[in-house]
Amino acid sequence: DDFSDFELIIETYNGTDEHFDKLDAYTVDINSSHIKIVGQSERACFYGLQTLREIFSQSNNQIRELSIKDYANSLYRGVIEGLYGTTWNHFEIMDMIDLIADYKGNSFFYGPRHDSYFRTEWRELLPEDEVTMLKEIVAYADSKYVDYYFGLNPVETKSFDSSNYEVDLQAFLARFEQAYEAGVRHFF
């Protein structure tokens, strides 16, 4: 069968089927005239498309009829960049976001141990070139339905105490505000 002759239908669900009460639930139905993906949300429809991509990559275009009901079992599905060693550049992060999206993941947590802005220089605002890269990465992650999580880890520096609490709190909030302005909507 030549799949180019099939009608592709993608829609978000509006009804009472209990399947769609589950996290990121979707269905994929293939018959002789169409391929239909129904998702609980736009993100769930994306996951249905990822499943369809997997099916096509393994089927040699020999699918006659198929019905799949799927959903996520876990709220957070993805990767934490929290390793010691060389931090990933923004292209490597984008490659990882692609991999997360390919496998219907939804989370990328940025927390490398050797990024000085994450650990030792957390009080400093990011330089403009770092902000530009952060904007690019966050926009790319959003386009793949992957949530980018931003955090700070001031463990290697003088921690908050009563003598510098207010100054450190303002520095912490300024960094989170900077990330928010760059498009980040998830923090840890």
Side-chain angles (χ1 to χ4, degrees), residues 44-63:
C45 289
F46 177 78
Y47 296 149
L49 283 169
Q50 294 302 83
T51 296
L52 188 60
R53 181 188 54 77
E54 290 173 31
I55 291 167
F56 284 161
S57 73
Q58 299 172 23
S59 71
N60 294 329
N61 294 340
Q62 297 299 313
I63 297 171

Side-chain angles (χ1 to χ4, degrees), residues 4-187:
S4 64
D5 294 336
F6 283 54
E7 177 184 12
L8 177 62
I9 303 164
I10 302 173
E11 57 188 43
T12 53
Y13 184 73
N14 185 12
T16 59
D17 185 332
E18 288 182 9
H19 171 70
F20 290 96
D21 292 337
K22 297 174 182 163
L23 180 63
D24 292 330
Y26 66 90
T27 60
V28 176
D29 290 299
I30 300 174
N31 66 30
S32 61
S33 65
H34 70 263
I35 299 170
K36 185 174 184 180
I37 297 172
V38 179
Q40 171 193 69
S41 63
E42 189 174 306
R43 180 185 297 235
C45 289
F46 177 78
Y47 296 149
L49 283 169
Q50 294 302 83
T51 296
L52 188 60
R53 181 188 54 77
E54 290 173 31
I55 291 167
F56 284 161
S57 73
Q58 299 172 23
S59 71
N60 294 329
N61 294 340
Q62 297 299 313
I63 297 171
R64 304 257 189 272
E65 193 169 311
L66 175 73
S67 183
I68 295 174
K69 288 179 126 178
D70 197 11
Y71 61 92
N73 282 323
S74 177
L75 182 60
Y76 301 103
R77 304 174 308 278
V79 171
I80 300 170
E81 183 192 357
L83 51 101
Y84 290 90
T86 305
T87 58
W88 298 340
N89 65 43
H90 79 283
F91 297 111
E92 291 167 324
I93 292 171
M94 290 174 163
D95 286 345
M96 181 54 66
I97 288 168
D98 283 336
L99 186 63
I100 293 167
D102 285 349
Y103 289 95
K104 298 173 254 181
N106 66 353
S107 306
F108 178 82
F109 290 83
Y110 183 78
R113 303 299 185 245
H114 282 20
D115 180 340
S116 60
Y117 292 109
F118 178 72
R119 292 175 67 95
T120 57
E121 298 176 36
W122 65 269
R123 289 179 182 90
E124 306 300 321
L125 290 176
L126 292 172
E128 195 56 42
D129 63 330
E130 294 283 331
V131 173
T132 299
M133 283 191 290
L134 179 60
K135 286 178 183 178
E136 290 174 10
I137 291 167
V138 171
Y140 190 74
D142 288 347
S143 76
K144 301 287 187 165
Y145 298 93
V146 173
D147 298 330
Y148 181 96
Y149 285 81
F150 179 89
L152 299 174
N153 185 359
V155 71
E156 291 183 6
T157 60
K158 184 178 176 186
S159 297
F160 296 113
D161 65 31
S162 60
S163 67
N164 65 352
Y165 175 79
E166 200 56 45
V167 171
D168 284 347
L169 178 61
Q170 293 309 310
F172 207 80
L173 293 174
R175 278 292 298 281
F176 274 49
E177 179 64 29
Q178 186 183 39
Y180 188 85
E181 288 174 11
V184 175
R185 294 298 179 264
H186 306 279
F187 299 87

